[in-house]
Amino acid sequence: MALCAALKTKYVDGESRLARWSRNWGAGRYSEAGKSFHQANVNYFLSQYEDRLIDPEAEPGQNILVPLCGKSVDMVFLATRGHNVVGVEGVPRAVNEFEKDNNLPLTPGEAQGSFTMRGLLGPMKRFIPCKMWLGELTGYIYGRFNVNGGEPLGYMIDRPVHHSKSRRDALPGNIHFAIGDFMDLDQSIVEGRTTNSDASFDACWDRAALVALHPKDREKYVETVHKMLRPGGHVLLVVTEHDPFPHGVLGPPFSIPERTVRELYERDDRFEIEVLERRSRLSEGIAKRANLKYFDEVAYLIRKK
């Protein structure tokens, strides 16, 4: 895809994407919910279309890839539903904040190629005893529960663990982080972190990854997603469509119209695409601050052939 030579972005000339993201995380731009892309609550599209991303009749322990995951609470939500989640993030600070914010201790880190792997230090729990309110824990509710015959106070997973026929026997899933450049990801990096032998993924959740990338990196990104998904696996993709930001800046987040989504994913007959929903977010967040004329989020369900 040809790029306009005058493309205006928020990138600094010569600065790598990881360096830029590290600089902004270090400045605290991405830490506060609602200030940038990070959200305090589970994403609307994920909660709305969870059953399209993962077949509700599938066995527990489905493997879900979350590219450019930051410290997204969506990973906790998916794990409390019984799935095995692997988030890929280039900035260690984001993973450290995830650990602190969600009260989920992680392993110190293990080198795996150019990546550092971290995972939960022990399994997720259905019930976390706690005598006083500690604040919102994504995927949990606080109250008095009948646990092991008593009624202690604490946090309990707020939905049944895995909503298939086998949910009574299911346990909460797992969360792993691959800290490194998503474009370098392959099966050897996540080997042993998935619940299958070929280290492939059943699904990919992309809420703020593709829109964050410079247009020149999009094709490589889609190639990596294709490589990591099993045949028949799904991508739940959310992109933005908007007019330019002040001073003609195009992104990030970049505006990605449907024709571009189809050019990226349908090339070489690799994927098939379904448009799920379009929502205006003009009165919220960055669109409101930038006084844009339109700002839509569009959700796609994409299946690997």
Side-chain angles (χ1 to χ4, degrees):
M1 263 176 284
L3 298 177
C4 176
L7 179 67
K8 291 186 178 181
T9 76
K10 298 175 185 176
Y11 289 90
V12 175
D13 288 344
E15 184 180 40
S16 72
R17 55 182 174 271
L18 295 189
R20 173 184 177 272
W21 293 332
S22 294
R23 172 169 55 82
N24 287 330
W25 273 104
R29 286 190 56 196
Y30 299 154
S31 297
E32 183 181 341
K35 188 175 182 180
S36 183
F37 62 83
H38 180 62
Q39 297 180 340
N41 299 309
V42 175
N43 182 266
Y44 162 82
F45 290 112
L46 178 59
S47 60
Q48 186 77 6
Y49 296 105
E50 178 192 1
D51 288 355
R52 300 296 307 279
L53 180 64
I54 295 290
D55 183 349
E57 297 300 318
E59 290 300 313
Q62 297 290 295
N63 297 294
I64 304 180
L65 178 66
V66 185
L68 283 61
C69 63
K71 59 174 184 176
S72 173
V73 298
D74 297 340
M75 292 182 289
V76 180
F77 170 79
L78 289 166
T80 60
R81 304 292 277 144
H83 304 308
N84 182 60
V85 183
V86 177
V88 184
E89 172 54 51
V91 182
R93 173 170 171 161
V95 180
N96 294 337
E97 291 190 13
F98 172 92
E99 178 180 32
K100 180 179 179 181
D101 291 354
N102 295 285
N103 192 28
L104 291 172
L106 301 174
T107 57
E110 175 187 349
Q112 185 75 16
S114 60
F115 286 77
T116 299
M117 305 300 299
R118 300 186 68 186
L120 294 184
L121 191 64
M124 293 190 71
K125 298 178 179 179
R126 294 174 185 264
F127 178 74
I128 302 173
C130 183
K131 294 183 178 180
M132 60 181 295
W133 167 255
L134 296 178
E136 182 178 354
L137 295 183
T138 301
Y140 292 82
I141 56 175
Y142 178 77
R144 187 177 296 279
F145 302 96
N146 185 3
V147 179
N148 297 327
E151 287 191 345
L153 286 168
Y155 291 85
M156 177 71 81
I157 287 179
D158 67 351
R159 300 190 186 192
V161 176
H162 195 74
H163 50 307
S164 74
K165 294 177 182 178
S166 58
R167 66 177 178 267
R168 290 186 178 181
D169 299 323
L171 294 172
N174 208 341
I175 300 174
H176 295 277
F177 287 94
I179 306 172
D181 190 339
F182 181 79
M183 307 303 188
D184 296 331
L185 189 70
D186 60 33
Q187 274 74 17
S188 68
I189 301 299
V190 297
E191 186 175 5
R193 272 82 180 184
T194 62
T195 58
N196 53 25
S197 59
D198 64 359
S200 65
F201 287 86
D202 303 289
C204 173
W205 165 232
D206 177 349
R207 197 273 300 180
L210 184 63
V211 296
L213 293 171
H214 193 286
K216 68 181 176 62
D217 294 322
R218 290 173 183 168
E219 290 186 0
K220 175 63 174 176
Y221 171 83
V222 173
E223 289 174 6
T224 305
V225 171
H226 182 268
K227 174 176 60 179
M228 301 305 296
L229 272 182
R230 65 166 177 80
H234 288 96
V235 180
L236 181 54
L237 169 70
V238 179
V239 299
T240 57
E241 295 184 18
H242 57 80
D243 51 327
F245 295 107
H247 309 296
V249 172
L250 300 182
F254 289 94
S255 179
I256 305 180
E258 181 178 345
R259 66 177 181 275
T260 301
V261 173
R262 293 191 179 278
E263 287 172 0
L264 288 167
Y265 286 89
E266 290 183 333
R267 192 186 65 184
D268 301 326
D269 200 32
R270 298 177 296 180
F271 294 96
E272 59 183 19
I273 296 174
E274 175 185 355
V275 182
L276 295 176
E277 185 179 348
R278 174 185 294 270
R279 297 181 83 207
S280 174
R281 305 296 297 273
L282 189 60
S283 62
E284 306 171 36
I286 189 173
K288 183 177 181 180
R289 294 193 299 271
N291 196 30
L292 299 183
K293 296 179 180 178
Y294 76 97
F295 190 97
D296 290 350
E297 285 188 332
V298 187
Y300 297 85
L301 186 69
I302 303 174
R303 188 184 73 87
K304 178 177 175 179
K305 296 183 177 180

